[in-house]
Amino acid sequence: MAQLTEFFTRLAKRPPASQMAGAKVSTLLIEVAGADPEMALRRLDSSAEGLLDREAEDRLLAYGPNAIVQEQHKSPVRQLISHFKNPLNILLLTLSVLSFYLGDKEAAVIIAIMVALSITLTFVQEYRSSNAAERLRAMVSTTATVLRKDRRSGVPDEVNRYFNIHLTPHGPQRREVPIDTLVPGDVILLSAGDMIPADVRLLGAKDLFVNQASLTGEALPVEKFTTAEAGDRKDPLGLGNICFMGTNVVSGTASAVVVLTGSKTYFGTLAQMVSEERPLTSFDRGINQFTWLMIRFILVMTPLVFLINGFTKGDWMEAFLFSMAVAVGLTPEMLPMIVTVNLGKGALAMSRKKVIVKRLNSIQNFGAMDVLCTDKTGTLTQDKIILEKHVDIYGHESEDVLEYAYLNSFHQSGLKNLLDVAVLEYAGLNDQLRVGANYRKVDEIPFDFQRRRMSVVVEGKGRHLLICKGAVEEVFSCCTHAEVNGESIALDPSHLEKLVQVTRELNEDGFRVIAIAYKETLPTTTTYSIKDESDLTLVGYIAFLDPPKDSAREAIAALHRHGVQVKILTGDNEVVTRKVCHDVGLKVDRILLGSDLASLTDDQLAEAAEHVMVFAKLSPAQKARVIKALHLRGHVVGFMGDGINDGPALKTADVGISVDTAVDIAKESADIILLEKSLMVLEEGVIEGRKVFGNIVKYIKMGASSNFGNMFSVLGASAWLPFLPMQAIQVLTNNLLYDFSQTAIPTDHVDEEYIAKPRRWDIANITRFMLMLGPISSIFDYATFALMYFVFRATTQGDSSLFQTGWFVESLLSQTLIIHIIRTGRIPFIQSRASLPLVLTSITICTVGLWLPYSPFAHALGFTPLPLQFWPYLVAILIGYLTLAHLMKSWFIHRYGLN
């Protein structure tokens, strides 16, 4: 009974799992990494046999499931509603409601339809593009092999007898369990091909290589071992006895104890960063700035029109309805539709090039981008290790070295690592080396982490050959001779400097270097051991590289020609990065390391980021920080990446681009996904983005300047005339027809000089253009007023219809035709012609405008037929307006630039 009491007392004193739940990722990992396996198990309150079932259940309640947070995706209804939050849409819907309650139902319906159509187009495009993005969980396997003890196997015999339980003694059981049920303290088993299901501390390992490329950017797998290691809290990925969730086992086997699960893992922290709210991009900020510019303008102009007409005409209701019509006329209600159609057209053009546009506004950001930051591995490079060189000890190409390497890789047992696969693939292209398969394997001396080399013994041509490959310094230590051109020379200290120089040069060029050596042995020997790895003859080296994509150099050069600066942000080391930059044509004067960023303030980093082209050994957060620093300097920044570690940077950038081989978390964070391996589509995307932006700006400049000029004219006419210069229904009809004429803008051509360099939102420039060109249109409006008032004697209330009709026709035609002046920096109709759809819509609307005073709708709209003498005057006014507008536009571009 005393033993029973002691057992329950021990259970009560057991530290609850929740005591470890608040530990920081780096702190706990550093602690268990620095302890030996036994101490690490004790720290996690576990044992080498694993947890009891009930312990695992308790910890699952304390920690929660081993699942990573995902970006919160809105339901279709919420996603649709969110598009109504745009301030321009809110303004338009408010005007629609007011118009409806004031009895102007036609205007209300027209405005509401425009808003609804724009929102629907945007929603459908984005919903269809992002529907398949919820795949963060797919980054890890669905089950894990875990050691668990039976519910009662850890209970003392006295307890079992007390409860009349009879058990057959047995040890821990191997079980396949869902990874979301793993808890800290679980002991798991790993083998080649397994995805690491949590952040784990190795307890035992044999020839374990883990691919961490998706987290670090390093293409080559890294060796993992079990010995205690003092790690750097700032760089947990450098811990040699810790494996991280989301990485995968390339070769070897291991047992490990789970340290961190779910959102507390390194992978989980990245997923949380990705799931945060996306910051406003350059395009979003530009649209919002223009929208608020127009809203402020409307808030000033509308009350002025209302008060002037109310006091001068005496009819306050008529004045209110007219001011409401003026507000609608000032509002660029077609802007959402023009923007959406432009972006949709760009997305369609990109889809033909096998590019998925997940977020429509990213197309414009693509064109506005003046800095493209890119990861190295898998984006600029092929993310595939290839054998690049096989050289003798002096660095000259040697077929003998390749043959020895091939024999070693071909005959070694077990899973071939990436380097062996690269050797076999390279040698397989050489018919002469296929005779290597005719050699018979005699024995093998396996690889281990202490020796860092392995050997195979083969029999052929009447001899036994022991062929050794491994780390350069470890193979050096076993060699007494070297072979050059078939001649053997004794190695002495005088050769060492030359040998080291060759390998150093290869390393500095970014190669992973493996030494190859051999010796002949007695054919009667059948068993070999480590002691036989002595008195070897060094024959040379094989060098491996993750090569650049074929299109990388050409794509970077094309981007440079279009004014886009390319910067490298990688987690890989600076030596390999420098080599890749050289291969793709990027000049590298200075490399800034992740360790250097910690000591820099945001302003200092922003200054450095202006001039530094390459950043290496960066953590995911540091990549995002560099992009934010570039934002501080006013850059529109794109980021291209493919790994888990690229998620935060992809989301921080104005436009995130992922490639065909990217992991799902990168594709989810990206705005644009390239499905083809060629990077030349980057240039096409930049050009398409600039075309989209150019056509959007055409509408904005034209609409803003025309509306401003019209309302400037309205103010003067309202103060001067004894009647309204245009009836409310006429203002709305004019606005509707004019807007329809602009629907073809997305089809228009964009001049080559406009797409030659990045274009971005410049509200100050748009405002200047509006203030300059608006009054010019007013000059000719006032000329029309004078024509109708003094020439055609439309001076009284009874003549108001003639006056209003004349201004309606002049206003509609001048607004419709001015797009052909504004759309290009060249001479219109001669050096630059509009697209056929834009020409046709312009002709159609002008024709309708000329027809309406004589149409059956004339009476309902308040129009009256115009005298024949009016038309020559109108032609002169239009020619004068278009000529002066072109001259002022040319001066404006010369003074302020093309934007």
Side-chain angles (χ1 to χ4, degrees), residues 611-625:
H611 310 289
V612 176
M613 305 301 294
V614 178
F615 298 80
K617 298 295 288 183
L618 297 182
S619 68
Q622 287 174 329
K623 290 183 179 183
R625 188 183 172 209

Side-chain angles (χ1 to χ4, degrees), residues 233-440:
R233 184 174 299 180
K234 296 179 181 178
D235 183 24
L237 293 175
L239 295 170
N241 54 16
I242 300 293
C243 296
F244 296 90
M245 174 187 269
T247 61
N248 64 285
V249 178
V250 176
S251 63
T253 58
S255 62
V257 60
V258 174
V259 181
L260 299 166
T261 59
S263 60
K264 291 182 173 59
T265 63
Y266 190 86
F267 180 87
T269 60
L270 294 182
Q272 286 180 317
M273 294 174 69
V274 169
S275 66
E276 293 171 358
E277 180 123 2
R278 181 178 294 270
L280 288 178
T281 66
S282 168
F283 180 83
D284 299 323
R285 293 190 297 270
I287 286 290
N288 287 343
Q289 287 172 355
F290 174 72
T291 299
W292 284 110
L293 171 68
M294 296 308 297
I295 289 175
R296 288 192 294 269
F297 185 57
I298 291 168
L299 291 177
V300 172
M301 295 295 289
T302 304
L304 278 177
V305 171
F306 170 65
L307 292 173
I308 290 174
N309 280 283
F311 283 117
T312 58
K313 313 299 184 299
D315 189 337
W316 288 95
M317 177 54 69
E318 184 184 56
F320 183 76
L321 291 174
F322 182 68
S323 65
M324 288 295 299
V326 167
V328 173
L330 280 172
T331 305
E333 65 268 20
M334 288 295 288
L335 179 61
M337 184 184 296
I338 292 291
V339 168
T340 302
V341 173
N342 264 292
L343 296 175
K345 177 177 175 289
L348 184 61
M350 295 303 292
S351 70
R352 297 190 188 105
K353 301 176 176 67
K354 296 189 177 180
V355 175
I356 294 176
V357 179
K358 286 179 56 184
R359 296 176 180 88
L360 281 178
N361 59 14
S362 63
I363 298 174
Q364 188 278 323
N365 291 325
F366 213 165
M369 174 180 70
D370 62 339
V371 176
L372 174 63
C373 298
T374 176
D375 183 35
K376 176 185 66 65
T377 306
T379 50
L380 293 181
T381 68
Q382 298 177 19
D383 197 17
K384 177 183 178 182
I385 302 302
I386 67 167
L387 175 61
E388 186 79 10
K389 293 187 176 184
H390 43 92
V391 298
D392 62 23
I393 62 173
Y394 295 123
H396 304 130
E397 185 173 319
S398 171
E399 291 297 320
D400 290 340
V401 173
L402 178 59
E403 182 173 357
Y404 285 124
Y406 173 73
L407 288 171
N408 181 289
S409 296
F410 183 86
H411 288 289
Q412 78 166 79
S413 60
L415 184 70
K416 303 287 192 294
N417 63 35
L418 294 178
L419 303 183
D420 291 314
V421 172
V423 170
L424 296 175
E425 287 183 353
Y426 183 93
L429 301 176
N430 189 327
D431 292 334
Q432 294 180 353
L433 289 178
R434 293 178 184 174
V435 298
N438 296 327
Y439 279 78
R440 183 181 68 86

Side-chain angles (χ1 to χ4, degrees), residues 50-107:
L51 299 174
L52 294 170
D53 283 329
R54 64 171 175 273
E55 288 177 321
E57 292 170 0
D58 291 342
R59 296 190 185 195
L60 187 60
L61 291 175
Y63 287 100
N66 178 33
I68 56 174
V69 67
Q70 291 182 269
E71 185 172 1
Q72 295 297 315
H73 291 281
K74 299 175 183 176
S75 66
V77 174
R78 290 182 59 196
Q79 192 174 346
L80 181 63
I81 292 174
S82 68
H83 289 290
F84 284 89
K85 296 179 181 178
N86 181 289
L88 184 60
N89 289 332
I90 293 174
L91 172 64
L92 289 170
L93 289 174
T94 301
L95 292 174
S96 177
V97 171
L98 286 174
S99 298
F100 182 82
Y101 279 105
L102 292 172
D104 198 349
K105 297 180 180 179
E106 293 83 359

